[in-house]
Amino acid sequence: MSAALVQVNDLAKVFDVSAPWLNRVVDRKPRQFVHAVDGVSFSIEKGKTLALVGESGCGKSTVARLLVGLYRPTRGNVKFDGVDAQSLDPAQSRTLRRRMSMIFQDPYASLNPRWKVLDIVAEPIREHGLVTDDGEQRAKVAELLLSVGLAAGDVDKFPHQFSGGQRQRISIARALATQPEFLVCDEPTSALDVSVQAQVLNIMKDLQRARGLTYLFISHNLAVVRHVSDQVGVMYLGRLVELADKADLFSNPRHPYTRMLLDAIPDIHMSGRARIPVQGEVPNPLHPPTGCAFHPRCPHATARCSSERPALKAFKGIQVACHAVEEGRL
């Protein structure tokens, strides 16, 4: 087993979404907080891919931003190659940031429309002082574009001259500019059509094999997750409810929420297997349910589920947070 490159311990992020002070005084309303991420723990081995899945608003993207330092955690820590990212001074933190990068969801919003591709991809190189000569920078950018399936001559074009899939390839090239070891991929294919999705995913898999990259892959598309991941974590309302190897999770899902997500995938083989559709809506994160957050939508919920929040525990080679699984009812 490879050593863990990324270790996340009891990670939490709370956002203050209160109205302005004067409005609260006039309306006599208390401050309001959203627990976007609430006690998430996992590790990712070198060269492997962990996928986080779940409905919109469950905290996947917040976890991504916490890992790359765009948000500071309210609680918990992130260790990269054994080093606590929060304990470093600015110079050490800068060096660490060079070893990780991020691919954003929207290829139309993540690229500066006023910059040429040369400036977009070379920005991390200049920022970290990796290459100072203009000619060498141009050659490096051309090499990166070729590695993601674009032409070297594309360096002088603007983002509006490319399709969505090509723009996402530019984003991947920019993410690889500092030769990182760890990439956080925040739904990198959700804005693309199916055929282009396959091309981008294959490029990412090839780059992982060639460069030994480690991925945190965030998606709500389970078909994509099945193609790219080694491990899968299922999130619900800011918490992990199941964490397992890909083969185990897809062949024998344990948590009721995981089962509902898998049942929502179209059955193209028409197997006739009984399926339970996803019921209800995601609760208001400002007023989450007591106990297990999933219990209002769960067909297996009991009184214990509504009063006691289950912890993520090891169970037959996986980790699952469910009283029904723990009690042998599921």
Side-chain angles (χ1 to χ4, degrees), residues 11-56:
L11 196 64
K13 180 62 179 177
V14 179
F15 292 102
D16 187 345
V17 294
S18 307
W21 175 81
L22 184 58
N23 294 47
R24 297 202 310 272
V25 171
V26 172
D27 298 335
R28 297 183 179 181
K29 291 184 178 179
R31 296 178 68 181
Q32 291 185 309
F33 299 91
V34 170
H35 294 261
V37 177
D38 189 9
V40 169
S41 301
F42 58 80
S43 62
I44 312 175
E45 297 176 15
K46 291 182 179 180
K48 300 294 185 180
T49 300
L50 170 67
L52 289 182
V53 300
E55 291 169 294
S56 296

Side-chain angles (χ1 to χ4, degrees), residues 309-320:
R309 187 163 73 175
L312 191 69
K313 297 180 179 179
F315 179 83
K316 295 184 179 179
I318 66 169
Q319 295 183 61
V320 62

